[in-house]
Amino acid sequence: MAHNIWSRISLSPDCFFLYFCRMFQKISFFSLILLVLVFSSCKSTYQKLLKSTDQEAKYEAAMDYYDNKNYTRALELFDLLQAFYRGTSKGEEISYRMAYCYYNLEDYIVAGYYFKRHAQTYPLSDRAEECLFMNAYCYYLDSPRYSLDQTNTYEAIKELQVFMDTYPRSERIPEANKLIDDLRAKLELKDYNLAMLFYRMRDYMAAITSFQNLMKRFPDTERREEVYRYMILAYFEFAERSIPEKRRERYEAAIDTYNNLLYQYPESKYLKSLEAVQDRARQRLLN
């Protein structure tokens, strides 16, 4: 059957395949040329628009770019238009959309600045609450992993608190509280890992101080039981390495911390292993 088909045309199957490939290459080449021409035309139109004095045309184009998620071009036009429309309803719209342009481009620090500026410039706007929340949320998104500098984490907590103080009845309050909890968990983890680092380095004095600070800063920490465990061990090892005049108070601190663990967590899984440490500390005090 295939032989009959090829016998009806002048080209062999192999030649026909090559002919088809060449035709496809030509079509692709012309499509590419057409695409380049269209792109060049669009770019040329956009460049003319930037230089145009027709502010309305720029505004409409900026809105179209924004709606089509071309935030870079929208932002460039909004930047040119904001001074011209300042104090008008269009100026407010430009301010709002500029913030979201930066947000969608994932430039969160600059987006936060524009969100906050919008909320402060238009405090009676229906969008003021949203923008003040988004300002704080941008700091939240820019908060780095726990092992890095946490300046933006503290800033995010501060801005979320400002939002909640400004809009105490907002429907976003539960979300704001959850974000703060997430950020505080990150700070707690950083403090815990720092204390554990000192402990593993056998810098017991620094470890004890760090564990104490952690419990002061995060009194509701779920790591309290574990923190007590390492504090008992750190106090005991610290006493073992101390000069004779300092040993007693450090053995006593180990025993006191053990008693705190026993009182607060009578079913703690750590009590059995730590009982031996506590007994040794008591024996040292008797010697």
Side-chain angles (χ1 to χ4, degrees):
M1 182 67 178
H3 178 73
N4 292 337
I5 292 173
W6 291 113
S7 65
R8 293 175 189 174
I9 60 177
S10 59
L11 297 176
S12 68
D14 289 342
C15 290
F16 183 82
F17 178 74
L18 291 173
Y19 174 77
F20 176 79
C21 289
R22 287 172 182 170
M23 287 297 294
F24 181 77
Q25 288 175 346
K26 288 181 180 180
I27 292 171
S28 298
F29 176 75
F30 287 125
S31 297
L32 179 61
I33 292 295
L34 181 61
L35 184 63
V36 170
L37 290 174
V38 170
F39 177 77
S40 298
S41 175
C42 291
K43 187 175 181 180
S44 176
T45 301
Y46 179 69
Q47 292 300 326
K48 288 179 181 177
L49 188 62
L50 289 176
K51 298 175 183 178
S52 172
T53 57
D54 188 341
Q55 308 301 330
E56 282 298 319
K58 285 182 183 179
Y59 181 83
E60 293 301 324
M63 291 300 177
D64 286 340
Y65 282 129
Y66 182 91
D67 291 339
N68 287 294
K69 300 183 179 181
N70 190 337
Y71 301 113
T72 301
R73 285 193 170 183
L75 190 57
E76 192 169 5
L77 289 170
F78 285 144
D79 192 49
L80 294 174
L81 292 167
Q82 59 178 334
F84 183 81
Y85 285 109
R86 185 173 288 118
T88 68
S89 59
K90 287 184 178 178
E92 181 179 343
E93 189 68 26
I94 288 169
S95 171
Y96 177 76
R97 295 201 182 202
M98 281 185 74
Y100 270 106
C101 280
Y102 283 111
Y103 174 80
N104 287 305
L105 292 170
E106 299 183 2
D107 192 345
Y108 297 124
I109 293 299
V110 178
Y113 165 79
Y114 277 93
F115 279 124
K116 190 169 188 176
R117 190 182 76 167
H118 185 91
Q120 292 173 338
T121 305
Y122 306 99
L124 301 180
S125 166
D126 293 339
R127 294 166 170 172
E129 178 187 324
E130 173 194 350
C131 286
L132 196 61
F133 175 82
M134 288 302 297
N135 160 60
Y137 185 59
C138 284
Y139 277 103
Y140 172 86
L141 292 176
D142 207 58
S143 172
R145 63 180 183 271
Y146 75 90
S147 58
L148 300 178
D149 178 72
Q150 294 300 304
T151 299
N152 279 355
T153 303
Y154 288 109
E155 193 67 24
I157 292 173
K158 185 190 81 173
E159 293 297 332
L160 284 163
Q161 193 60 57
V162 167
F163 168 76
M164 291 192 294
D165 291 342
T166 307
Y167 298 100
R169 298 182 180 178
S170 171
E171 294 180 355
R172 295 181 172 89
I173 293 294
E175 184 178 359
N177 278 318
K178 183 182 181 305
L179 295 178
I180 288 178
D181 288 343
D182 290 346
L183 295 166
R184 285 179 58 80
K186 186 184 297 186
L187 295 175
E188 180 188 328
L189 180 59
K190 185 179 180 68
D191 284 2
Y192 174 78
N193 278 276
L194 178 62
M196 288 302 300
L197 176 62
F198 286 133
Y199 179 83
R200 294 189 186 101
M201 292 171 61
R202 299 183 180 180
D203 187 348
Y204 296 116
M205 183 176 183
I208 291 166
T209 301
S210 297
F211 282 128
Q212 289 174 335
N213 289 337
L214 186 152
M215 288 199 291
K216 286 178 183 177
R217 293 182 62 197
F218 306 99
D220 298 327
T221 177
E222 295 180 357
R223 295 184 173 91
R224 178 177 288 272
E225 182 181 356
E226 190 176 358
V227 167
Y228 276 139
R229 175 199 182 193
Y230 284 109
M231 284 183 68
I232 293 165
L233 295 171
Y235 270 125
F236 181 82
E237 294 298 335
F238 191 30
E240 293 282 275
R241 290 161 174 75
S242 298
I243 60 175
E245 293 79 7
K246 293 289 185 179
R247 287 175 187 165
R248 171 168 287 276
E249 65 181 84
R250 289 162 187 172
Y251 285 128
E252 289 175 346
I255 295 169
D256 288 342
T257 307
Y258 175 86
N259 289 333
N260 284 334
L261 174 64
L262 178 62
Y263 177 76
Q264 295 183 35
Y265 303 95
E267 304 297 326
S268 174
K269 62 183 178 181
Y270 301 124
L271 286 173
K272 187 174 182 180
S273 62
L274 291 171
E275 187 176 358
V277 177
Q278 187 246 179
D279 288 343
R280 288 170 65 191
R282 289 185 183 278
Q283 289 173 6
R284 296 289 196 275
L285 291 174
L286 294 174
N287 295 337

mmCIF file of all heavy atoms in Angstrom, residues 249-283:
data_model
loop_
_atom_site.group_PDB
_atom_site.id
_atom_site.type_symbol
_atom_site.label_atom_id
_atom_site.label_comp_id
_atom_site.label_asym_id
_atom_site.label_seq_id
_atom_site.Cartn_x
_atom_site.Cartn_y
_atom_site.Cartn_z
ATOM 1 N N GLU A 249 28.535 26.960 94.171
ATOM 2 C CA GLU A 249 27.362 27.653 93.621
ATOM 3 C C GLU A 249 26.915 27.050 92.296
ATOM 4 O O GLU A 249 25.715 27.049 91.983
ATOM 5 C CB GLU A 249 27.651 29.146 93.457
ATOM 6 C CG GLU A 249 28.726 29.474 92.433
ATOM 7 C CD GLU A 249 28.998 30.969 92.327
ATOM 8 O OE1 GLU A 249 29.788 31.488 93.135
ATOM 9 O OE2 GLU A 249 28.390 31.602 91.430
ATOM 10 N N ARG A 250 27.850 26.479 91.529
ATOM 11 C CA ARG A 250 27.488 25.924 90.223
ATOM 12 C C ARG A 250 26.904 24.513 90.360
ATOM 13 O O ARG A 250 25.999 24.148 89.604
ATOM 14 C CB ARG A 250 28.699 25.968 89.303
ATOM 15 C CG ARG A 250 28.988 27.423 88.903
ATOM 16 C CD ARG A 250 30.347 27.699 88.352
ATOM 17 N NE ARG A 250 30.501 29.165 88.182
ATOM 18 C CZ ARG A 250 31.648 29.751 87.860
ATOM 19 N NH1 ARG A 250 32.761 29.046 87.689
ATOM 20 N NH2 ARG A 250 31.690 31.067 87.728
ATOM 21 N N TYR A 251 27.403 23.744 91.335
ATOM 22 C CA TYR A 251 26.757 22.459 91.621
ATOM 23 C C TYR A 251 25.341 22.697 92.152
ATOM 24 O O TYR A 251 24.395 21.982 91.789
ATOM 25 C CB TYR A 251 27.568 21.664 92.652
ATOM 26 C CG TYR A 251 28.832 21.034 92.096
ATOM 27 C CD1 TYR A 251 30.054 21.236 92.722
ATOM 28 C CD2 TYR A 251 28.781 20.208 90.976
ATOM 29 C CE1 TYR A 251 31.223 20.648 92.227
ATOM 30 C CE2 TYR A 251 29.934 19.617 90.471
ATOM 31 C CZ TYR A 251 31.158 19.843 91.106
ATOM 32 O OH TYR A 251 32.300 19.264 90.607
ATOM 33 N N GLU A 252 25.206 23.691 93.004
ATOM 34 C CA GLU A 252 23.885 24.017 93.543
ATOM 35 C C GLU A 252 22.929 24.468 92.436
ATOM 36 O O GLU A 252 21.736 24.138 92.460
ATOM 37 C CB GLU A 252 24.007 25.104 94.613
ATOM 38 C CG GLU A 252 24.651 24.621 95.899
ATOM 39 C CD GLU A 252 24.874 25.738 96.902
ATOM 40 O OE1 GLU A 252 24.775 26.923 96.499
ATOM 41 O OE2 GLU A 252 25.155 25.436 98.090
ATOM 42 N N ALA A 253 23.465 25.221 91.467
ATOM 43 C CA ALA A 253 22.630 25.666 90.342
ATOM 44 C C ALA A 253 22.164 24.472 89.511
ATOM 45 O O ALA A 253 21.019 24.443 89.033
ATOM 46 C CB ALA A 253 23.410 26.642 89.469
ATOM 47 N N ALA A 254 23.035 23.479 89.355
ATOM 48 C CA ALA A 254 22.653 22.265 88.621
ATOM 49 C C ALA A 254 21.524 21.540 89.352
ATOM 50 O O ALA A 254 20.548 21.086 88.727
ATOM 51 C CB ALA A 254 23.862 21.350 88.467
ATOM 52 N N ILE A 255 21.641 21.447 90.689
ATOM 53 C CA ILE A 255 20.604 20.774 91.486
ATOM 54 C C ILE A 255 19.294 21.557 91.445
ATOM 55 O O ILE A 255 18.207 20.978 91.282
ATOM 56 C CB ILE A 255 21.089 20.604 92.939
ATOM 57 C CG1 ILE A 255 22.294 19.655 92.977
ATOM 58 C CG2 ILE A 255 19.966 20.087 93.831
ATOM 59 C CD1 ILE A 255 23.011 19.618 94.317
ATOM 60 N N ASP A 256 19.365 22.875 91.560
ATOM 61 C CA ASP A 256 18.152 23.717 91.514
ATOM 62 C C ASP A 256 17.448 23.585 90.163
ATOM 63 O O ASP A 256 16.205 23.528 90.104
ATOM 64 C CB ASP A 256 18.515 25.180 91.764
ATOM 65 C CG ASP A 256 18.908 25.445 93.209
ATOM 66 O OD1 ASP A 256 18.582 24.605 94.071
ATOM 67 O OD2 ASP A 256 19.553 26.488 93.458
ATOM 68 N N THR A 257 18.224 23.543 89.111
ATOM 69 C CA THR A 257 17.631 23.421 87.774
ATOM 70 C C THR A 257 16.986 22.052 87.606
ATOM 71 O O THR A 257 15.908 21.933 86.994
ATOM 72 C CB THR A 257 18.698 23.643 86.682
ATOM 73 O OG1 THR A 257 19.377 24.878 86.921
ATOM 74 C CG2 THR A 257 18.071 23.693 85.297
ATOM 75 N N TYR A 258 17.611 21.030 88.164
ATOM 76 C CA TYR A 258 17.015 19.688 88.134
ATOM 77 C C TYR A 258 15.670 19.696 88.869
ATOM 78 O O TYR A 258 14.692 19.113 88.401
ATOM 79 C CB TYR A 258 17.969 18.670 88.766
ATOM 80 C CG TYR A 258 17.375 17.277 88.880
ATOM 81 C CD1 TYR A 258 17.457 16.389 87.814
ATOM 82 C CD2 TYR A 258 16.721 16.875 90.045
ATOM 83 C CE1 TYR A 258 16.899 15.117 87.911
ATOM 84 C CE2 TYR A 258 16.158 15.613 90.146
ATOM 85 C CZ TYR A 258 16.252 14.740 89.078
ATOM 86 O OH TYR A 258 15.691 13.479 89.164
ATOM 87 N N ASN A 259 15.628 20.348 90.022
ATOM 88 C CA ASN A 259 14.375 20.416 90.792
ATOM 89 C C ASN A 259 13.291 21.176 90.028
ATOM 90 O O ASN A 259 12.103 20.832 90.109
ATOM 91 C CB ASN A 259 14.635 21.078 92.143
ATOM 92 C CG ASN A 259 15.435 20.179 93.080
ATOM 93 O OD1 ASN A 259 15.380 18.959 92.958
ATOM 94 N ND2 ASN A 259 16.187 20.773 93.992
ATOM 95 N N ASN A 260 13.689 22.206 89.288
ATOM 96 C CA ASN A 260 12.721 22.935 88.457
ATOM 97 C C ASN A 260 12.148 22.029 87.376
ATOM 98 O O ASN A 260 10.940 22.047 87.095
ATOM 99 C CB ASN A 260 13.390 24.153 87.805
ATOM 100 C CG ASN A 260 13.587 25.298 88.775
ATOM 101 O OD1 ASN A 260 12.848 25.420 89.755
ATOM 102 N ND2 ASN A 260 14.567 26.145 88.506
ATOM 103 N N LEU A 261 13.026 21.240 86.758
ATOM 104 C CA LEU A 261 12.575 20.292 85.744
ATOM 105 C C LEU A 261 11.619 19.275 86.364
ATOM 106 O O LEU A 261 10.561 18.972 85.778
ATOM 107 C CB LEU A 261 13.777 19.582 85.121
ATOM 108 C CG LEU A 261 13.461 18.454 84.128
ATOM 109 C CD1 LEU A 261 12.731 19.006 82.901
ATOM 110 C CD2 LEU A 261 14.746 17.736 83.703
ATOM 111 N N LEU A 262 11.976 18.754 87.517
ATOM 112 C CA LEU A 262 11.138 17.759 88.201
ATOM 113 C C LEU A 262 9.783 18.344 88.564
ATOM 114 O O LEU A 262 8.742 17.677 88.419
ATOM 115 C CB LEU A 262 11.856 17.276 89.466
ATOM 116 C CG LEU A 262 11.111 16.269 90.342
ATOM 117 C CD1 LEU A 262 10.840 14.982 89.568
ATOM 118 C CD2 LEU A 262 11.904 15.975 91.617
ATOM 119 N N TYR A 263 9.764 19.592 89.013
ATOM 120 C CA TYR A 263 8.510 20.234 89.429
ATOM 121 C C TYR A 263 7.608 20.521 88.222
ATOM 122 O O TYR A 263 6.397 20.274 88.276
ATOM 123 C CB TYR A 263 8.829 21.528 90.174
ATOM 124 C CG TYR A 263 7.599 22.313 90.581
ATOM 125 C CD1 TYR A 263 6.821 21.893 91.657
ATOM 126 C CD2 TYR A 263 7.231 23.466 89.883
ATOM 127 C CE1 TYR A 263 5.685 22.606 92.026
ATOM 128 C CE2 TYR A 263 6.097 24.179 90.236
ATOM 129 C CZ TYR A 263 5.335 23.747 91.309
ATOM 130 O OH TYR A 263 4.211 24.446 91.658
ATOM 131 N N GLN A 264 8.205 21.037 87.163
ATOM 132 C CA GLN A 264 7.401 21.436 86.002
ATOM 133 C C GLN A 264 7.072 20.274 85.077
ATOM 134 O O GLN A 264 6.041 20.282 84.398
ATOM 135 C CB GLN A 264 8.128 22.538 85.215
ATOM 136 C CG GLN A 264 8.291 23.833 86.005
ATOM 137 C CD GLN A 264 8.947 24.944 85.182
ATOM 138 O OE1 GLN A 264 8.734 25.055 83.976
ATOM 139 N NE2 GLN A 264 9.751 25.769 85.847
ATOM 140 N N TYR A 265 7.952 19.271 85.045
ATOM 141 C CA TYR A 265 7.743 18.129 84.149
ATOM 142 C C TYR A 265 7.991 16.828 84.926
ATOM 143 O O TYR A 265 8.999 16.133 84.713
ATOM 144 C CB TYR A 265 8.677 18.212 82.938
ATOM 145 C CG TYR A 265 8.534 19.490 82.141
ATOM 146 C CD1 TYR A 265 9.371 20.588 82.375
ATOM 147 C CD2 TYR A 265 7.546 19.609 81.164
ATOM 148 C CE1 TYR A 265 9.229 21.765 81.654
ATOM 149 C CE2 TYR A 265 7.398 20.784 80.437
ATOM 150 C CZ TYR A 265 8.243 21.857 80.687
ATOM 151 O OH TYR A 265 8.098 23.029 79.966
ATOM 152 N N PRO A 266 7.090 16.490 85.837
ATOM 153 C CA PRO A 266 7.292 15.289 86.671
ATOM 154 C C PRO A 266 7.357 13.992 85.872
ATOM 155 O O PRO A 266 7.863 12.983 86.376
ATOM 156 C CB PRO A 266 6.085 15.302 87.622
ATOM 157 C CG PRO A 266 5.062 16.158 86.941
ATOM 158 C CD PRO A 266 5.833 17.185 86.168
ATOM 159 N N GLU A 267 6.868 14.020 84.630
ATOM 160 C CA GLU A 267 6.920 12.825 83.779
ATOM 161 C C GLU A 267 7.983 12.968 82.691
ATOM 162 O O GLU A 267 7.962 12.215 81.705
ATOM 163 C CB GLU A 267 5.550 12.593 83.125
ATOM 164 C CG GLU A 267 4.393 12.473 84.093
ATOM 165 C CD GLU A 267 4.545 11.262 85.009
ATOM 166 O OE1 GLU A 267 5.092 10.236 84.551
ATOM 167 O OE2 GLU A 267 4.126 11.344 86.176
ATOM 168 N N SER A 268 8.901 13.882 82.849
ATOM 169 C CA SER A 268 9.902 14.140 81.806
ATOM 170 C C SER A 268 10.739 12.896 81.491
ATOM 171 O O SER A 268 11.159 12.165 82.395
ATOM 172 C CB SER A 268 10.836 15.274 82.239
ATOM 173 O OG SER A 268 11.882 15.428 81.303
ATOM 174 N N LYS A 269 10.967 12.701 80.231
ATOM 175 C CA LYS A 269 11.787 11.560 79.790
ATOM 176 C C LYS A 269 13.258 11.751 80.137
ATOM 177 O O LYS A 269 14.053 10.808 80.047
ATOM 178 C CB LYS A 269 11.637 11.362 78.279
ATOM 179 C CG LYS A 269 12.111 12.556 77.459
ATOM 180 C CD LYS A 269 11.865 12.338 75.972
ATOM 181 C CE LYS A 269 12.296 13.562 75.155
ATOM 182 N NZ LYS A 269 12.051 13.370 73.707
ATOM 183 N N TYR A 270 13.634 12.995 80.518
ATOM 184 C CA TYR A 270 15.038 13.276 80.828
ATOM 185 C C TYR A 270 15.383 13.015 82.297
ATOM 186 O O TYR A 270 16.564 12.958 82.656
ATOM 187 C CB TYR A 270 15.371 14.732 80.503
ATOM 188 C CG TYR A 270 15.144 15.115 79.061
ATOM 189 C CD1 TYR A 270 14.311 16.187 78.729
ATOM 190 C CD2 TYR A 270 15.746 14.411 78.034
ATOM 191 C CE1 TYR A 270 14.095 16.545 77.406
ATOM 192 C CE2 TYR A 270 15.535 14.751 76.708
ATOM 193 C CZ TYR A 270 14.706 15.821 76.400
ATOM 194 O OH TYR A 270 14.500 16.170 75.091
ATOM 195 N N LEU A 271 14.391 12.860 83.157
ATOM 196 C CA LEU A 271 14.643 12.777 84.605
ATOM 197 C C LEU A 271 15.536 11.591 84.979
ATOM 198 O O LEU A 271 16.437 11.721 85.820
ATOM 199 C CB LEU A 271 13.324 12.700 85.369
ATOM 200 C CG LEU A 271 12.537 14.009 85.458
ATOM 201 C CD1 LEU A 271 11.167 13.762 86.095
ATOM 202 C CD2 LEU A 271 13.312 15.059 86.247
ATOM 203 N N LYS A 272 15.281 10.445 84.370
ATOM 204 C CA LYS A 272 16.040 9.254 84.747
ATOM 205 C C LYS A 272 17.528 9.421 84.488
ATOM 206 O O LYS A 272 18.361 9.109 85.347
ATOM 207 C CB LYS A 272 15.488 8.043 83.994
ATOM 208 C CG LYS A 272 16.105 6.733 84.452
ATOM 209 C CD LYS A 272 15.419 5.560 83.778
ATOM 210 C CE LYS A 272 16.020 4.243 84.280
ATOM 211 N NZ LYS A 272 15.366 3.063 83.635
ATOM 212 N N SER A 273 17.872 9.928 83.283
ATOM 213 C CA SER A 273 19.290 10.086 82.950
ATOM 214 C C SER A 273 19.931 11.216 83.742
ATOM 215 O O SER A 273 21.127 11.161 84.067
ATOM 216 C CB SER A 273 19.456 10.333 81.444
ATOM 217 O OG SER A 273 18.807 11.542 81.063
ATOM 218 N N LEU A 274 19.149 12.243 84.081
ATOM 219 C CA LEU A 274 19.705 13.391 84.807
ATOM 220 C C LEU A 274 19.793 13.163 86.307
ATOM 221 O O LEU A 274 20.500 13.895 87.003
ATOM 222 C CB LEU A 274 18.847 14.633 84.522
ATOM 223 C CG LEU A 274 18.933 15.182 83.102
ATOM 224 C CD1 LEU A 274 17.880 16.253 82.890
ATOM 225 C CD2 LEU A 274 20.318 15.728 82.802
ATOM 226 N N GLU A 275 19.086 12.149 86.790
ATOM 227 C CA GLU A 275 19.143 11.857 88.224
ATOM 228 C C GLU A 275 20.562 11.523 88.662
ATOM 229 O O GLU A 275 21.009 11.932 89.741
ATOM 230 C CB GLU A 275 18.201 10.700 88.555
ATOM 231 C CG GLU A 275 18.069 10.445 90.042
ATOM 232 C CD GLU A 275 17.059 9.363 90.364
ATOM 233 O OE1 GLU A 275 16.437 8.833 89.410
ATOM 234 O OE2 GLU A 275 16.885 9.056 91.555
ATOM 235 N N ALA A 276 21.282 10.822 87.817
ATOM 236 C CA ALA A 276 22.671 10.475 88.138
ATOM 237 C C ALA A 276 23.542 11.726 88.220
ATOM 238 O O ALA A 276 24.423 11.831 89.080
ATOM 239 C CB ALA A 276 23.221 9.512 87.085
ATOM 240 N N VAL A 277 23.301 12.674 87.331
ATOM 241 C CA VAL A 277 24.058 13.934 87.342
ATOM 242 C C VAL A 277 23.761 14.700 88.622
ATOM 243 O O VAL A 277 24.658 15.237 89.281
ATOM 244 C CB VAL A 277 23.706 14.791 86.099
ATOM 245 C CG1 VAL A 277 24.433 16.137 86.153
ATOM 246 C CG2 VAL A 277 24.039 14.045 84.828
ATOM 247 N N GLN A 278 22.490 14.730 89.004
ATOM 248 C CA GLN A 278 22.084 15.431 90.217
ATOM 249 C C GLN A 278 22.711 14.785 91.453
ATOM 250 O O GLN A 278 23.184 15.474 92.373
ATOM 251 C CB GLN A 278 20.558 15.426 90.310
ATOM 252 C CG GLN A 278 19.998 16.265 91.422
ATOM 253 C CD GLN A 278 19.299 15.415 92.492
ATOM 254 O OE1 GLN A 278 18.816 15.969 93.453
ATOM 255 N NE2 GLN A 278 19.240 14.109 92.338
ATOM 256 N N ASP A 279 22.753 13.449 91.477
ATOM 257 C CA ASP A 279 23.364 12.733 92.605
ATOM 258 C C ASP A 279 24.851 13.032 92.702
ATOM 259 O O ASP A 279 25.388 13.230 93.815
ATOM 260 C CB ASP A 279 23.144 11.227 92.455
ATOM 261 C CG ASP A 279 21.698 10.824 92.707
ATOM 262 O OD1 ASP A 279 20.957 11.638 93.309
ATOM 263 O OD2 ASP A 279 21.302 9.721 92.288
ATOM 264 N N ARG A 280 25.505 13.094 91.562
ATOM 265 C CA ARG A 280 26.940 13.397 91.562
ATOM 266 C C ARG A 280 27.192 14.819 92.063
ATOM 267 O O ARG A 280 28.156 15.074 92.784
ATOM 268 C CB ARG A 280 27.516 13.210 90.152
ATOM 269 C CG ARG A 280 27.628 11.751 89.731
ATOM 270 C CD ARG A 280 27.974 11.628 88.272
ATOM 271 N NE ARG A 280 29.311 12.169 88.003
ATOM 272 C CZ ARG A 280 29.797 12.389 86.782
ATOM 273 N NH1 ARG A 280 29.030 12.129 85.724
ATOM 274 N NH2 ARG A 280 31.008 12.863 86.620
ATOM 275 N N ALA A 281 26.319 15.750 91.693
ATOM 276 C CA ALA A 281 26.461 17.127 92.156
ATOM 277 C C ALA A 281 26.306 17.193 93.681
ATOM 278 O O ALA A 281 27.060 17.905 94.364
ATOM 279 C CB ALA A 281 25.428 18.021 91.467
ATOM 280 N N ARG A 282 25.356 16.431 94.215
ATOM 281 C CA ARG A 282 25.159 16.412 95.667
ATOM 282 C C ARG A 282 26.380 15.815 96.379
ATOM 283 O O ARG A 282 26.782 16.294 97.444
ATOM 284 C CB ARG A 282 23.909 15.603 96.012
ATOM 285 C CG ARG A 282 22.614 16.304 95.615
ATOM 286 C CD ARG A 282 21.398 15.530 96.094
ATOM 287 N NE ARG A 282 20.160 16.157 95.664
ATOM 288 C CZ ARG A 282 19.584 17.183 96.290
ATOM 289 N NH1 ARG A 282 20.151 17.697 97.366
ATOM 290 N NH2 ARG A 282 18.455 17.696 95.826
ATOM 291 N N GLN A 283 26.931 14.779 95.799
ATOM 292 C CA GLN A 283 28.108 14.157 96.376
ATOM 293 C C GLN A 283 29.302 15.134 96.400
ATOM 294 O O GLN A 283 30.059 15.176 97.373
ATOM 295 C CB GLN A 283 28.483 12.887 95.603
ATOM 296 C CG GLN A 283 27.519 11.746 95.805
ATOM 297 C CD GLN A 283 27.809 10.564 94.895
ATOM 298 O OE1 GLN A 283 28.814 10.560 94.175
ATOM 299 N NE2 GLN A 283 26.931 9.573 94.934
#
